Amino acid sequence: MCVTCGCSDDQNVTLTNVATGKLKEINGHHTHTLEDGTVITHSHDHNHKHDHPHNHLSEIHAKMHGTTISLEEKILQKNDLMAAQNRGYFKGRNILALNLVSSPGSGKTTLLTRTINDLKDKIIINVIEGDQETVNDAQKIKETGCKVVQINTGTGCHLEASMVEKGYTELNPEPNSILMIENVGNLVCPALFDLGEAAKVAILSVTEGEDKPIKYPHMFRESKVMILTKIDLLPYVQFDVNKCLEYAQKVNPSLTIFQVSSVTGEGLSSWYDWLENQ
Ligand SMILES: Nc1nc2c(ncn2[C@@H]2O[C@H](COP(=O)(O)OP(=O)(O)OP(=O)(O)O)[C@@H](O)[C@H]2O)c(=O)[nH]1
Ligand SMILES: [Zn+2]
Ligand SMILES: [Zn+2]
Ligand SMILES: [Zn+2]
Ligand SMILES: [Zn+2]
């Protein structure tokens, strides 16, 4: 449930292991707000009788009266607890977990496949793919030979810490490896949800306009790294790189920035150096 954009949590979240083709339903939770403001989170399928009113009008009502803040806080608190658990898991195994965030189509999967292929002999990289529908991205990642699971969020617009927990439980990543988590393409909601990652890596392509960092400041503020992709297209698009860097540094002065093309390979070595030095 994402109060920010009002997307529902009555979604069919699934996890697919593309190696075995096995699909699991993982939408284990369900949140209701009662008249008195109490938030109930429970799991069930929708074939049973409820002991509480089952509609989301109360959420809409709460939103109208500005009481979503407390609901949102509770959802995020629950997420943060799971994120802390994930962080402990990663720390215990010395796994570098990175949360790749961007708008749809900025080049996350292309950058990932190239990175995995180029670093194959040096680092083990496993992947959790997040998309609303399809296992297309996981199939592309699988072709590199690395371990990957696909999470489909249905109507959900972001990954949550609990989904990532299901993902790495299925993957069983090796100690001293990297776990790349490709979030659902969305520059807004994923900024709110800590997955237990070491860093959020924001991907921005030169076809999106140089003012994205100031239009969606939360995402760029939450990220440690920004990767400007598709720089091979600069001759064909109107995109002021210096302006973009200036905007990015304005919202987040400590942001580490790389400029790359996953097609020509330009700039990738700095990104790889950064990965190896974490
Ligand atoms: N010219 C050029 N095209 C690129 C580059 N990186 C990705 N693309 C293209 O951009 C399109 C989208 O790339 P994806 O890697 O699927 O983007 P994504 O961010 O994973 O997309 P979603 O998962 O749907 O959000 C594809 O047609 C890629 O071939 C690049 O560096 N240069
Ligand atoms: Zn949302
Ligand atoms: Zn419901
Ligand atoms: Zn219910
Ligand atoms: Zn993708």
Side-chain angles (χ1 to χ4, degrees), residues 102-110 131 137 182 185 230 232-233 261-263:
S102 80
S103 51
S106 64
K108 299 179 293 298
T109 308
T110 311
D131 289 285
D137 279 0
E182 181 181 331
K230 309 193 190 180
D232 58 292
L233 298 180
S261 165
S262 304
V263 172

Side-chain angles (χ1 to χ4, degrees), residues 180-241:
M180 296 286 196
I181 305 163
E182 181 181 331
N183 217 314
V184 179
N186 175 347
L187 271 179
V188 182
C189 306
L192 285 170
F193 291 83
D194 183 8
L195 305 180
E197 72 274 353
K200 285 188 177 69
V201 176
I203 321 285
L204 173 63
S205 63
V206 302
T207 57
E208 294 170 60
E210 65 269 327
D211 56 356
K212 281 292 169 297
I214 50 171
K215 279 184 177 164
Y216 299 92
H218 299 294
M219 187 61 90
F220 292 88
R221 217 169 273 143
E222 285 293 311
S223 299
K224 263 193 197 160
V225 175
M226 178 180 112
I227 304 183
L228 185 61
T229 54
K230 309 193 190 180
I231 58 167
D232 58 292
L233 298 180
L234 279 172
Y236 314 104
V237 290
Q238 288 201 318
F239 187 93
D240 187 332
V241 174

